[in-house]
mmCIF file of all heavy atoms in Angstrom:
data_model
loop_
_atom_site.group_PDB
_atom_site.id
_atom_site.type_symbol
_atom_site.label_atom_id
_atom_site.label_comp_id
_atom_site.label_asym_id
_atom_site.label_seq_id
_atom_site.Cartn_x
_atom_site.Cartn_y
_atom_site.Cartn_z
ATOM 1 N N VAL A 71 250.436 130.366 222.736
ATOM 2 C CA VAL A 71 250.507 129.299 221.573
ATOM 3 C C VAL A 71 251.879 128.614 221.678
ATOM 4 O O VAL A 71 252.966 129.315 221.642
ATOM 5 C CB VAL A 71 250.287 129.822 220.254
ATOM 6 C CG1 VAL A 71 250.315 128.813 219.283
ATOM 7 C CG2 VAL A 71 249.024 130.580 220.180
ATOM 8 N N ARG A 72 251.915 127.305 221.713
ATOM 9 C CA ARG A 72 253.176 126.465 221.705
ATOM 10 C C ARG A 72 253.054 125.349 220.899
ATOM 11 O O ARG A 72 252.001 124.642 220.882
ATOM 12 C CB ARG A 72 253.473 126.031 223.207
ATOM 13 C CG ARG A 72 253.912 127.112 224.075
ATOM 14 C CD ARG A 72 254.283 126.588 225.428
ATOM 15 N NE ARG A 72 254.789 127.607 226.251
ATOM 16 C CZ ARG A 72 254.881 127.434 227.655
ATOM 17 N NH1 ARG A 72 254.401 126.343 228.122
ATOM 18 N NH2 ARG A 72 255.342 128.446 228.272
ATOM 19 N N PRO A 73 254.045 124.985 220.130
ATOM 20 C CA PRO A 73 254.078 123.774 219.312
ATOM 21 C C PRO A 73 254.325 122.587 220.274
ATOM 22 O O PRO A 73 255.053 122.658 221.210
ATOM 23 C CB PRO A 73 255.414 123.913 218.438
ATOM 24 C CG PRO A 73 256.226 124.797 219.140
ATOM 25 C CD PRO A 73 255.402 125.773 219.982
ATOM 26 N N LEU A 74 253.699 121.498 219.953
ATOM 27 C CA LEU A 74 253.792 120.344 220.663
ATOM 28 C C LEU A 74 254.520 119.123 219.910
ATOM 29 O O LEU A 74 255.214 118.306 220.595
ATOM 30 C CB LEU A 74 252.519 119.767 221.284
ATOM 31 C CG LEU A 74 251.736 120.610 222.320
ATOM 32 C CD1 LEU A 74 250.417 120.008 222.603
ATOM 33 C CD2 LEU A 74 252.566 120.888 223.460
ATOM 34 N N ALA A 75 254.257 119.020 218.552
ATOM 35 C CA ALA A 75 254.644 117.937 217.909
ATOM 36 C C ALA A 75 254.945 118.353 216.381
ATOM 37 O O ALA A 75 254.248 119.286 215.876
ATOM 38 C CB ALA A 75 253.687 116.854 217.940
ATOM 39 N N HIS A 76 255.902 117.722 215.832
ATOM 40 C CA HIS A 76 256.245 118.074 214.460
ATOM 41 C C HIS A 76 255.122 117.422 213.577
ATOM 42 O O HIS A 76 254.910 117.906 212.366
ATOM 43 C CB HIS A 76 257.574 117.451 214.061
ATOM 44 C CG HIS A 76 258.692 118.038 214.620
ATOM 45 N ND1 HIS A 76 259.126 119.347 214.183
ATOM 46 C CD2 HIS A 76 259.598 117.623 215.590
ATOM 47 C CE1 HIS A 76 260.201 119.670 214.961
ATOM 48 N NE2 HIS A 76 260.521 118.671 215.797
ATOM 49 N N SER A 77 254.407 116.484 213.978
ATOM 50 C CA SER A 77 253.333 115.845 213.206
ATOM 51 C C SER A 77 252.204 115.311 214.022
ATOM 52 O O SER A 77 252.372 115.097 215.181
ATOM 53 C CB SER A 77 254.020 114.645 212.445
ATOM 54 O OG SER A 77 254.343 113.639 213.280
ATOM 55 N N PHE A 78 251.110 115.058 213.326
ATOM 56 C CA PHE A 78 250.004 114.381 214.211
ATOM 57 C C PHE A 78 250.285 113.038 214.628
ATOM 58 O O PHE A 78 249.863 112.623 215.748
ATOM 59 C CB PHE A 78 248.751 114.297 213.234
ATOM 60 C CG PHE A 78 247.500 113.897 213.985
ATOM 61 C CD1 PHE A 78 246.966 114.662 215.060
ATOM 62 C CD2 PHE A 78 246.970 112.663 213.739
ATOM 63 C CE1 PHE A 78 245.878 114.247 215.750
ATOM 64 C CE2 PHE A 78 245.847 112.307 214.369
ATOM 65 C CZ PHE A 78 245.280 112.974 215.443
ATOM 66 N N ARG A 79 251.066 112.265 213.962
ATOM 67 C CA ARG A 79 251.608 110.903 214.487
ATOM 68 C C ARG A 79 252.464 111.210 215.845
ATOM 69 O O ARG A 79 252.153 110.413 216.699
ATOM 70 C CB ARG A 79 252.424 110.366 213.468
ATOM 71 C CG ARG A 79 253.094 109.058 213.852
ATOM 72 C CD ARG A 79 253.830 108.216 212.797
ATOM 73 N NE ARG A 79 253.051 107.895 211.582
ATOM 74 C CZ ARG A 79 252.283 106.873 211.566
ATOM 75 N NH1 ARG A 79 252.191 106.097 212.622
ATOM 76 N NH2 ARG A 79 251.534 106.600 210.547
ATOM 77 N N ASP A 80 253.329 112.164 215.844
ATOM 78 C CA ASP A 80 254.122 112.278 217.038
ATOM 79 C C ASP A 80 253.165 112.812 218.185
ATOM 80 O O ASP A 80 253.376 112.469 219.337
ATOM 81 C CB ASP A 80 255.189 113.375 216.685
ATOM 82 C CG ASP A 80 256.342 112.785 216.053
ATOM 83 O OD1 ASP A 80 256.438 111.543 215.837
ATOM 84 O OD2 ASP A 80 257.345 113.537 215.680
ATOM 85 N N PHE A 81 252.164 113.645 217.841
ATOM 86 C CA PHE A 81 251.231 114.078 218.777
ATOM 87 C C PHE A 81 250.517 112.911 219.534
ATOM 88 O O PHE A 81 250.420 112.822 220.768
ATOM 89 C CB PHE A 81 250.117 114.963 218.172
ATOM 90 C CG PHE A 81 249.164 115.453 219.145
ATOM 91 C CD1 PHE A 81 249.438 116.406 220.153
ATOM 92 C CD2 PHE A 81 247.846 115.016 219.105
ATOM 93 C CE1 PHE A 81 248.437 116.856 221.029
ATOM 94 C CE2 PHE A 81 246.877 115.313 219.992
ATOM 95 C CZ PHE A 81 247.112 116.342 220.956
ATOM 96 N N LEU A 82 250.179 111.851 218.573
ATOM 97 C CA LEU A 82 249.479 110.655 219.225
ATOM 98 C C LEU A 82 250.518 109.934 220.024
ATOM 99 O O LEU A 82 250.144 109.417 221.050
ATOM 100 C CB LEU A 82 249.017 109.934 218.035
ATOM 101 C CG LEU A 82 247.673 110.478 217.431
ATOM 102 C CD1 LEU A 82 247.288 109.573 216.135
ATOM 103 C CD2 LEU A 82 246.655 110.721 218.217
ATOM 104 N N ARG A 83 251.724 109.826 219.599
ATOM 105 C CA ARG A 83 252.691 109.097 220.291
ATOM 106 C C ARG A 83 253.022 109.817 221.751
ATOM 107 O O ARG A 83 253.205 109.151 222.665
ATOM 108 C CB ARG A 83 254.049 108.972 219.566
ATOM 109 C CG ARG A 83 253.859 108.033 218.360
ATOM 110 C CD ARG A 83 255.172 107.792 217.582
ATOM 111 N NE ARG A 83 256.201 107.176 218.533
ATOM 112 C CZ ARG A 83 257.502 107.502 218.584
ATOM 113 N NH1 ARG A 83 257.929 108.484 217.805
ATOM 114 N NH2 ARG A 83 258.254 106.917 219.450
ATOM 115 N N LEU A 84 252.940 111.133 221.656
ATOM 116 C CA LEU A 84 253.156 111.894 222.969
ATOM 117 C C LEU A 84 251.991 111.640 223.933
ATOM 118 O O LEU A 84 252.163 111.449 225.083
ATOM 119 C CB LEU A 84 253.253 113.449 222.691
ATOM 120 C CG LEU A 84 254.469 113.890 222.176
ATOM 121 C CD1 LEU A 84 254.271 115.336 221.596
ATOM 122 C CD2 LEU A 84 255.621 113.811 222.981
ATOM 123 N N LEU A 85 250.807 111.534 223.354
ATOM 124 C CA LEU A 85 249.641 111.312 224.078
ATOM 125 C C LEU A 85 249.731 109.937 224.698
ATOM 126 O O LEU A 85 249.386 109.688 225.942
ATOM 127 C CB LEU A 85 248.362 111.409 223.197
ATOM 128 C CG LEU A 85 247.030 111.385 223.855
ATOM 129 C CD1 LEU A 85 246.966 112.487 224.946
ATOM 130 C CD2 LEU A 85 245.848 111.636 222.866
ATOM 131 N N LEU A 86 250.230 108.849 223.939
ATOM 132 C CA LEU A 86 250.371 107.531 224.431
ATOM 133 C C LEU A 86 251.307 107.565 225.596
ATOM 134 O O LEU A 86 251.113 106.737 226.557
ATOM 135 C CB LEU A 86 250.829 106.663 223.376
ATOM 136 C CG LEU A 86 249.898 106.312 222.214
ATOM 137 C CD1 LEU A 86 250.503 105.489 221.135
ATOM 138 C CD2 LEU A 86 248.694 105.640 222.798
ATOM 139 N N ALA A 87 252.363 108.313 225.588
ATOM 140 C CA ALA A 87 253.404 108.339 226.574
ATOM 141 C C ALA A 87 253.021 109.125 227.896
ATOM 142 O O ALA A 87 253.323 108.643 228.948
ATOM 143 C CB ALA A 87 254.600 109.004 226.004
ATOM 144 N N CYS A 88 252.184 110.147 227.692
ATOM 145 C CA CYS A 88 251.771 110.978 228.819
ATOM 146 C C CYS A 88 250.457 110.597 229.451
ATOM 147 O O CYS A 88 250.246 110.871 230.555
ATOM 148 C CB CYS A 88 251.777 112.429 228.383
ATOM 149 S SG CYS A 88 253.426 112.999 227.972
ATOM 150 N N GLY A 89 249.609 110.026 228.628
ATOM 151 C CA GLY A 89 248.345 109.563 229.139
ATOM 152 C C GLY A 89 247.176 110.590 229.045
ATOM 153 O O GLY A 89 246.073 110.232 229.155
ATOM 154 N N SER A 90 247.475 111.954 228.771
ATOM 155 C CA SER A 90 246.514 112.872 228.666
ATOM 156 C C SER A 90 247.198 114.136 228.080
ATOM 157 O O SER A 90 248.325 114.367 228.086
ATOM 158 C CB SER A 90 245.844 113.150 229.915
ATOM 159 O OG SER A 90 246.665 114.127 230.743
ATOM 160 N N THR A 91 246.328 115.017 227.528
ATOM 161 C CA THR A 91 246.746 116.316 226.965
ATOM 162 C C THR A 91 247.267 117.351 228.037
ATOM 163 O O THR A 91 248.030 118.175 227.736
ATOM 164 C CB THR A 91 245.824 116.920 226.171
ATOM 165 O OG1 THR A 91 244.607 117.260 226.982
ATOM 166 C CG2 THR A 91 245.351 116.092 224.964
ATOM 167 N N THR A 92 246.921 117.077 229.302
ATOM 168 C CA THR A 92 247.324 117.948 230.381
ATOM 169 C C THR A 92 248.760 118.131 230.464
ATOM 170 O O THR A 92 249.316 119.256 230.452
ATOM 171 C CB THR A 92 246.654 117.484 231.705
ATOM 172 O OG1 THR A 92 245.172 117.380 231.576
ATOM 173 C CG2 THR A 92 246.953 118.505 232.820
ATOM 174 N N ALA A 93 249.491 116.942 230.561
ATOM 175 C CA ALA A 93 250.891 117.041 230.669
ATOM 176 C C ALA A 93 251.495 117.604 229.506
ATOM 177 O O ALA A 93 252.468 118.471 229.538
ATOM 178 C CB ALA A 93 251.515 115.668 230.902
ATOM 179 N N LEU A 94 251.027 117.339 228.253
ATOM 180 C CA LEU A 94 251.512 118.012 227.087
ATOM 181 C C LEU A 94 251.437 119.392 226.976
ATOM 182 O O LEU A 94 252.373 120.167 226.748
ATOM 183 C CB LEU A 94 250.751 117.386 225.789
ATOM 184 C CG LEU A 94 250.989 115.864 225.582
ATOM 185 C CD1 LEU A 94 250.052 115.521 224.286
ATOM 186 C CD2 LEU A 94 252.340 115.491 225.315
ATOM 187 N N GLU A 95 250.291 119.977 227.419
ATOM 188 C CA GLU A 95 250.056 121.374 227.316
ATOM 189 C C GLU A 95 250.935 122.078 228.434
ATOM 190 O O GLU A 95 251.402 123.240 228.168
ATOM 191 C CB GLU A 95 248.599 121.640 227.562
ATOM 192 C CG GLU A 95 248.152 123.084 227.261
ATOM 193 C CD GLU A 95 248.527 124.031 228.516
ATOM 194 O OE1 GLU A 95 248.180 123.648 229.619
ATOM 195 O OE2 GLU A 95 248.825 125.169 228.226
ATOM 196 N N GLN A 96 251.078 121.567 229.657
ATOM 197 C CA GLN A 96 251.784 122.216 230.598
ATOM 198 C C GLN A 96 253.337 122.038 230.622
ATOM 199 O O GLN A 96 254.034 122.726 231.326
ATOM 200 C CB GLN A 96 251.243 121.809 231.986
ATOM 201 C CG GLN A 96 249.786 122.193 232.127
ATOM 202 C CD GLN A 96 249.260 121.782 233.504
ATOM 203 O OE1 GLN A 96 249.957 121.691 234.474
ATOM 204 N NE2 GLN A 96 247.938 121.753 233.537
ATOM 205 N N MET A 97 253.741 121.073 229.861
ATOM 206 C CA MET A 97 255.151 120.756 229.840
ATOM 207 C C MET A 97 256.079 121.905 229.624
ATOM 208 O O MET A 97 257.227 121.894 230.213
ATOM 209 C CB MET A 97 255.525 119.555 228.781
ATOM 210 C CG MET A 97 256.494 118.666 229.181
ATOM 211 S SD MET A 97 256.584 117.463 227.943
ATOM 212 C CE MET A 97 255.212 116.433 228.022
ATOM 213 N N GLY A 98 255.662 122.813 228.754
ATOM 214 C CA GLY A 98 256.547 123.989 228.449
ATOM 215 C C GLY A 98 256.970 124.796 229.605
ATOM 216 O O GLY A 98 257.918 125.538 229.699
ATOM 217 N N ASP A 99 256.095 124.809 230.752
ATOM 218 C CA ASP A 99 256.306 125.542 231.934
ATOM 219 C C ASP A 99 256.980 124.743 233.063
ATOM 220 O O ASP A 99 257.370 125.251 234.087
ATOM 221 C CB ASP A 99 255.091 126.280 232.429
ATOM 222 C CG ASP A 99 254.493 127.187 231.501
ATOM 223 O OD1 ASP A 99 255.293 128.003 230.908
ATOM 224 O OD2 ASP A 99 253.397 127.144 231.289
ATOM 225 N N TRP A 100 257.231 123.487 232.766
ATOM 226 C CA TRP A 100 257.793 122.594 233.847
ATOM 227 C C TRP A 100 259.192 122.223 233.710
ATOM 228 O O TRP A 100 259.799 122.282 232.668
ATOM 229 C CB TRP A 100 256.964 121.182 233.751
ATOM 230 C CG TRP A 100 255.581 121.187 234.358
ATOM 231 C CD1 TRP A 100 255.035 122.218 235.152
ATOM 232 C CD2 TRP A 100 254.598 120.292 234.076
ATOM 233 N NE1 TRP A 100 253.759 121.828 235.481
ATOM 234 C CE2 TRP A 100 253.475 120.725 234.805
ATOM 235 C CE3 TRP A 100 254.645 119.018 233.421
ATOM 236 C CZ2 TRP A 100 252.276 119.895 234.750
ATOM 237 C CZ3 TRP A 100 253.411 118.297 233.464
ATOM 238 C CH2 TRP A 100 252.273 118.757 234.062
ATOM 239 N N THR A 101 259.814 121.902 234.800
ATOM 240 C CA THR A 101 261.109 121.260 234.731
ATOM 241 C C THR A 101 261.042 119.803 234.654
ATOM 242 O O THR A 101 259.771 119.279 234.808
ATOM 243 C CB THR A 101 261.897 121.547 236.136
ATOM 244 O OG1 THR A 101 261.172 120.878 237.159
ATOM 245 C CG2 THR A 101 262.002 122.979 236.423
ATOM 246 N N ARG A 102 262.085 119.046 234.407
ATOM 247 C CA ARG A 102 261.991 117.528 234.141
ATOM 248 C C ARG A 102 261.336 116.962 235.516
ATOM 249 O O ARG A 102 260.602 116.048 235.446
ATOM 250 C CB ARG A 102 263.348 117.054 233.912
ATOM 251 C CG ARG A 102 263.477 115.548 234.160
ATOM 252 C CD ARG A 102 263.106 114.676 232.914
ATOM 253 N NE ARG A 102 263.865 114.910 231.739
ATOM 254 C CZ ARG A 102 263.499 114.249 230.623
ATOM 255 N NH1 ARG A 102 262.507 113.370 230.635
ATOM 256 N NH2 ARG A 102 264.129 114.443 229.523
ATOM 257 N N GLU A 103 261.859 117.519 236.660
ATOM 258 C CA GLU A 103 261.397 116.990 237.939
ATOM 259 C C GLU A 103 259.858 117.213 238.105
ATOM 260 O O GLU A 103 259.183 116.362 238.627
ATOM 261 C CB GLU A 103 262.179 117.727 239.190
ATOM 262 C CG GLU A 103 263.649 117.396 239.240
ATOM 263 C CD GLU A 103 264.448 118.044 238.082
ATOM 264 O OE1 GLU A 103 264.022 119.141 237.523
ATOM 265 O OE2 GLU A 103 265.482 117.446 237.666
ATOM 266 N N GLN A 104 259.379 118.354 237.709
ATOM 267 C CA GLN A 104 257.906 118.696 237.849
ATOM 268 C C GLN A 104 257.093 117.659 236.880
ATOM 269 O O GLN A 104 256.156 117.196 237.309
ATOM 270 C CB GLN A 104 257.605 120.083 237.512
ATOM 271 C CG GLN A 104 258.199 121.142 238.621
ATOM 272 C CD GLN A 104 258.046 122.438 238.073
ATOM 273 O OE1 GLN A 104 258.411 122.854 236.917
ATOM 274 N NE2 GLN A 104 257.415 123.334 238.957
ATOM 275 N N TYR A 105 257.600 117.523 235.714
ATOM 276 C CA TYR A 105 256.963 116.566 234.795
ATOM 277 C C TYR A 105 256.958 115.212 235.376
ATOM 278 O O TYR A 105 255.955 114.498 235.421
ATOM 279 C CB TYR A 105 257.729 116.689 233.478
ATOM 280 C CG TYR A 105 257.319 115.524 232.494
ATOM 281 C CD1 TYR A 105 256.104 115.519 231.799
ATOM 282 C CD2 TYR A 105 258.209 114.524 232.222
ATOM 283 C CE1 TYR A 105 255.701 114.570 230.979
ATOM 284 C CE2 TYR A 105 257.858 113.490 231.418
ATOM 285 C CZ TYR A 105 256.532 113.500 230.806
ATOM 286 O OH TYR A 105 256.324 112.442 229.938
ATOM 287 N N ASP A 106 258.149 114.763 235.867
ATOM 288 C CA ASP A 106 258.157 113.372 236.376
ATOM 289 C C ASP A 106 257.278 113.215 237.652
ATOM 290 O O ASP A 106 256.534 112.268 237.764
ATOM 291 C CB ASP A 106 259.656 113.009 236.805
ATOM 292 C CG ASP A 106 260.529 112.755 235.544
ATOM 293 O OD1 ASP A 106 259.971 112.559 234.488
ATOM 294 O OD2 ASP A 106 261.720 112.882 235.740
ATOM 295 N N ALA A 107 257.165 114.212 238.459
ATOM 296 C CA ALA A 107 256.344 114.203 239.636
ATOM 297 C C ALA A 107 254.838 114.178 239.245
ATOM 298 O O ALA A 107 253.987 113.432 239.740
ATOM 299 C CB ALA A 107 256.625 115.352 240.600
ATOM 300 N N TRP A 108 254.581 114.892 238.199
ATOM 301 C CA TRP A 108 253.088 114.947 237.676
ATOM 302 C C TRP A 108 252.707 113.558 237.190
ATOM 303 O O TRP A 108 251.616 112.973 237.447
ATOM 304 C CB TRP A 108 253.025 115.951 236.544
ATOM 305 C CG TRP A 108 251.525 116.151 236.196
ATOM 306 C CD1 TRP A 108 250.607 117.051 236.737
ATOM 307 C CD2 TRP A 108 250.754 115.363 235.206
ATOM 308 N NE1 TRP A 108 249.401 116.947 236.252
ATOM 309 C CE2 TRP A 108 249.425 115.948 235.236
ATOM 310 C CE3 TRP A 108 251.004 114.346 234.357
ATOM 311 C CZ2 TRP A 108 248.457 115.415 234.454
ATOM 312 C CZ3 TRP A 108 250.075 113.811 233.650
ATOM 313 C CH2 TRP A 108 248.764 114.333 233.673
ATOM 314 N N LEU A 109 253.587 112.890 236.439
ATOM 315 C CA LEU A 109 253.291 111.592 235.911
ATOM 316 C C LEU A 109 253.097 110.501 237.007
ATOM 317 O O LEU A 109 252.313 109.643 236.921
ATOM 318 C CB LEU A 109 254.370 111.082 234.940
ATOM 319 C CG LEU A 109 254.380 111.756 233.650
ATOM 320 C CD1 LEU A 109 255.598 111.166 232.822
ATOM 321 C CD2 LEU A 109 253.075 111.549 232.911
ATOM 322 N N ARG A 110 253.880 110.683 238.102
ATOM 323 C CA ARG A 110 253.897 109.759 239.245
ATOM 324 C C ARG A 110 252.782 110.052 240.178
ATOM 325 O O ARG A 110 252.281 109.128 240.930
ATOM 326 C CB ARG A 110 255.117 109.751 240.070
ATOM 327 C CG ARG A 110 256.315 109.180 239.373
ATOM 328 C CD ARG A 110 257.558 109.084 240.301
ATOM 329 N NE ARG A 110 257.873 110.279 240.998
ATOM 330 C CZ ARG A 110 258.792 111.128 240.577
ATOM 331 N NH1 ARG A 110 259.412 110.992 239.505
ATOM 332 N NH2 ARG A 110 259.010 112.347 241.339
ATOM 333 N N ALA A 111 252.225 111.163 240.210
ATOM 334 C CA ALA A 111 251.073 111.539 241.179
ATOM 335 C C ALA A 111 249.865 110.613 240.967
ATOM 336 O O ALA A 111 249.384 110.526 239.880
ATOM 337 C CB ALA A 111 250.714 113.035 241.024
ATOM 338 N N PRO A 112 249.327 110.083 242.069
ATOM 339 C CA PRO A 112 248.181 109.075 241.956
ATOM 340 C C PRO A 112 246.929 109.769 241.302
ATOM 341 O O PRO A 112 246.257 109.041 240.475
ATOM 342 C CB PRO A 112 247.970 108.814 243.365
ATOM 343 C CG PRO A 112 249.144 109.124 244.101
ATOM 344 C CD PRO A 112 249.845 110.083 243.439
ATOM 345 N N GLU A 113 246.776 110.988 241.559
ATOM 346 C CA GLU A 113 245.645 111.677 240.996
ATOM 347 C C GLU A 113 245.728 111.820 239.452
ATOM 348 O O GLU A 113 244.745 112.195 238.757
ATOM 349 C CB GLU A 113 245.351 113.018 241.638
ATOM 350 C CG GLU A 113 246.422 114.044 241.392
ATOM 351 C CD GLU A 113 247.520 113.989 242.406
ATOM 352 O OE1 GLU A 113 247.578 113.172 243.180
ATOM 353 O OE2 GLU A 113 248.188 115.092 242.509
ATOM 354 N N ASN A 114 246.849 111.614 238.883
ATOM 355 C CA ASN A 114 247.030 111.675 237.406
ATOM 356 C C ASN A 114 247.143 110.385 236.731
ATOM 357 O O ASN A 114 247.444 110.362 235.553
ATOM 358 C CB ASN A 114 248.348 112.550 237.184
ATOM 359 C CG ASN A 114 248.198 113.973 237.701
ATOM 360 O OD1 ASN A 114 247.124 114.533 237.730
ATOM 361 N ND2 ASN A 114 249.268 114.499 238.157
ATOM 362 N N THR A 115 246.829 109.311 237.438
ATOM 363 C CA THR A 115 246.806 108.100 236.790
ATOM 364 C C THR A 115 245.772 107.909 235.812
ATOM 365 O O THR A 115 244.697 108.468 235.974
ATOM 366 C CB THR A 115 246.537 106.973 237.957
ATOM 367 O OG1 THR A 115 247.540 107.006 238.957
ATOM 368 C CG2 THR A 115 246.551 105.582 237.320
ATOM 369 N N VAL A 116 246.063 107.417 234.637
ATOM 370 C CA VAL A 116 245.142 107.291 233.503
ATOM 371 C C VAL A 116 244.001 106.369 233.941
ATOM 372 O O VAL A 116 244.106 105.261 234.444
ATOM 373 C CB VAL A 116 245.829 106.739 232.334
ATOM 374 C CG1 VAL A 116 244.897 106.576 231.129
ATOM 375 C CG2 VAL A 116 247.029 107.555 231.894
ATOM 376 N N THR A 117 242.755 106.822 233.690
ATOM 377 C CA THR A 117 241.597 106.074 234.030
ATOM 378 C C THR A 117 241.551 104.851 233.162
ATOM 379 O O THR A 117 242.132 104.804 232.177
ATOM 380 C CB THR A 117 240.349 106.829 233.952
ATOM 381 O OG1 THR A 117 240.218 107.174 232.512
ATOM 382 C CG2 THR A 117 240.429 108.094 234.772
ATOM 383 N N ALA A 118 240.675 103.897 233.509
ATOM 384 C CA ALA A 118 240.315 102.662 232.662
ATOM 385 C C ALA A 118 239.803 103.170 231.285
ATOM 386 O O ALA A 118 240.274 102.576 230.377
ATOM 387 C CB ALA A 118 239.388 101.861 233.405
ATOM 388 N N GLU A 119 238.937 104.154 231.346
ATOM 389 C CA GLU A 119 238.419 104.646 230.043
ATOM 390 C C GLU A 119 239.532 105.276 229.247
ATOM 391 O O GLU A 119 239.575 105.122 227.968
ATOM 392 C CB GLU A 119 237.303 105.657 230.320
ATOM 393 C CG GLU A 119 236.110 105.255 231.012
ATOM 394 C CD GLU A 119 236.193 105.232 232.593
ATOM 395 O OE1 GLU A 119 237.307 105.641 233.056
ATOM 396 O OE2 GLU A 119 235.270 104.758 233.183
ATOM 397 N N GLY A 120 240.411 106.038 229.922
ATOM 398 C CA GLY A 120 241.590 106.603 229.199
ATOM 399 C C GLY A 120 242.513 105.543 228.593
ATOM 400 O O GLY A 120 242.912 105.718 227.376
ATOM 401 N N ARG A 121 242.718 104.525 229.291
ATOM 402 C CA ARG A 121 243.658 103.437 228.885
ATOM 403 C C ARG A 121 242.952 102.757 227.577
ATOM 404 O O ARG A 121 243.670 102.458 226.665
ATOM 405 C CB ARG A 121 243.862 102.357 230.010
ATOM 406 C CG ARG A 121 244.956 102.820 230.882
ATOM 407 C CD ARG A 121 245.424 101.616 231.802
ATOM 408 N NE ARG A 121 244.333 100.996 232.551
ATOM 409 C CZ ARG A 121 243.809 101.393 233.634
ATOM 410 N NH1 ARG A 121 244.276 102.572 234.249
ATOM 411 N NH2 ARG A 121 242.825 100.839 234.241
#
Side-chain angles (χ1 to χ4, degrees):
V71 180
R72 289 184 173 156
L74 292 179
H76 290 289
S77 67
F78 186 65
R79 176 176 298 282
D80 282 356
F81 177 75
L82 292 177
R83 291 185 63 219
L84 286 167
L85 192 57
L86 293 174
C88 296
S90 78
T91 58
T92 303
L94 296 179
E95 190 278 318
Q96 294 183 23
M97 213 181 290
D99 295 315
W100 286 344
T101 63
R102 166 84 63 184
E103 293 74 26
Q104 290 170 313
Y105 167 73
D106 290 340
W108 189 92
L109 288 179
R110 286 191 309 269
E113 64 270 18
N114 297 325
T115 301
V116 180
T117 64
E119 296 86 1
R121 278 193 306 280

